[in-house]
């Protein structure tokens, strides 16, 4: 086995064992179940419909319109910059939204009642991927399988868009669509109790996902999911 693939498989096997997830052979779903990706589910396997109260809308294809002011290598602009908050949560009305606040958020509202608030905006389902990723995901639904901790039969899309086990969900997360290659800048700061920001990490990295090369295929895939240079 390729060293990269072996190391990756070993790490995830340890995760599955630690979580108590089964390592038996798992196969893809039936053609009938996969067909849900063309109807009630999005092409990547999420629920297409919105929720009952309308606060989460239905997925209608995601946000795919280029923003004219964006430049390659720059920060992406906010397509919803002109929207105003639907409402704001402050220390004064926090009890009204208690069922939607985490313990940490409630603590911050209590500690900083005059300066901390939560602005709540309209929900947008902007996620989108290229059509070839959708096509590969549809194929993966019936052909991908896990033999113990080793994934096979998947390429260029979500491995298990209609997951049946926790192990399949884990692989979906690991191999989620993020693009084929990208560069990232790391600037990490640790905040002290008195509010001072201390730089702890500074660096640049390049990442390539051969699993998501557009001209690849499940037959040609060599097992290298990631290539990272720091």
């Amino acid at each position: 086995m390729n060293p990269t693939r072996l190391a990756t498989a070993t790490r995830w096997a340890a995760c599955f064992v630690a979580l108590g997830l089964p390592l038996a052979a798992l196969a893809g779903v039936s053609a009938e179940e996969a067909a849900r990706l063309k109807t009630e589910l999005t092409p990547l396997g999420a629920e297409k419909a919105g929720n009952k109260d309308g606060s989460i809308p239905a997925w209608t294809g995601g946000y795919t319109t280029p923003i004219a002011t964006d430049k390659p290598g720059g920060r992406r602009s906010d397509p919803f910059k002109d929207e105003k908050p639907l409402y704001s949560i402050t220390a004064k009305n926090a009890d009204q939204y208690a069922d939607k606040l985490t313990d940490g958020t409630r603590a911050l509202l209590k500690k900083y009642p005059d300066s901390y608030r939560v602005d709540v905006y309209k929900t947008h389902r902007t996620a989108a991927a290229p059509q070839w990723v959708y096509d590969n995901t549809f194929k993966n639904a019936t052909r991908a399988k896990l033999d113990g901790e080793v994934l096979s039969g998947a390429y260029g899309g979500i491995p298990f868009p209609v997951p049946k086990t926790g192990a399949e969900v884990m692989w979906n997360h690991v191999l989620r669509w993020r693009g084929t290659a990208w560069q990232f800048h790391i600037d990490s700061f640790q905040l002290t109790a008195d509010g001072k920001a201390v730089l702890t990490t500074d660096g640049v990295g390049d990442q390539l996902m051969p699993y998501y090369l557009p001209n690849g295929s499940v037959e040609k895939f060599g097992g290298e999911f990631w290539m990272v240079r720091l």
Side-chain angles (χ1 to χ4, degrees):
M1 179 182 286
N2 180 282
T4 302
R5 187 174 188 180
L6 177 60
T8 301
T10 301
R11 286 195 297 271
W12 283 103
C15 291
F16 296 150
V17 171
L19 292 172
L21 300 176
L23 295 181
L26 303 170
V29 300
S30 66
E32 289 75 19
E33 287 184 288
R36 296 173 59 202
L37 297 168
K38 305 285 189 178
T39 55
E40 64 191 87
L41 300 178
T42 71
L44 299 184
E47 291 185 18
K48 185 178 291 186
N51 63 353
K52 291 182 179 180
D53 66 11
S55 59
I56 299 176
W59 184 83
T60 57
Y63 192 87
T64 58
T65 304
I67 300 175
T69 56
D70 282 0
K71 297 180 180 179
R75 184 182 295 274
R76 186 185 181 192
S77 303
D78 181 2
F80 311 113
K81 61 182 178 61
D82 295 327
E83 290 189 352
K84 304 299 181 184
L86 298 176
Y87 56 90
S88 295
I89 303 175
T90 66
K92 293 181 179 180
N93 65 1
D95 290 343
Q96 180 181 345
Y97 303 100
D99 61 331
K100 296 179 173 61
L101 299 175
T102 65
D103 291 342
T105 301
R106 286 197 293 269
L108 287 170
L109 288 167
K110 183 177 181 180
K111 187 172 183 178
Y112 305 105
D114 298 323
S115 59
Y116 186 80
R117 72 175 190 272
V118 178
D119 291 333
V120 180
Y121 290 81
K122 177 182 177 181
T123 299
H124 298 276
R125 296 182 68 178
T126 59
Q131 184 59 48
W132 60 267
V133 173
Y134 296 154
D135 295 340
N136 283 331
T137 297
F138 185 74
K139 295 175 184 177
N140 290 343
T142 54
R143 70 186 179 185
K145 64 179 181 179
L146 286 178
D147 186 2
E149 76 281 3
V150 179
L151 172 67
S152 63
Y155 181 80
I158 302 300
F160 304 102
V162 189
K164 299 298 183 181
T165 69
E168 292 180 352
V169 173
M170 289 285 286
W171 274 107
N172 287 348
H173 173 70
V174 172
L175 295 179
R176 64 194 182 278
W177 166 251
R178 286 164 283 178
T180 298
W182 60 92
Q183 184 179 82
F184 54 92
H185 296 252
I186 305 171
D187 293 305
S188 299
F189 292 84
Q190 180 68 47
L191 294 179
T192 62
D194 60 357
K196 183 180 180 181
V198 180
L199 179 65
T200 58
T201 306
D202 181 17
V204 177
D206 296 289
Q207 184 158 333
L208 170 69
M209 291 193 73
Y211 176 83
Y212 273 113
L213 292 176
N215 59 349
S217 67
V218 69
E219 293 79 16
K220 294 188 290 185
F221 180 54
E224 295 84 9
F225 296 108
W226 305 274
M227 291 183 179
V228 181
R229 179 177 62 190
L230 297 174

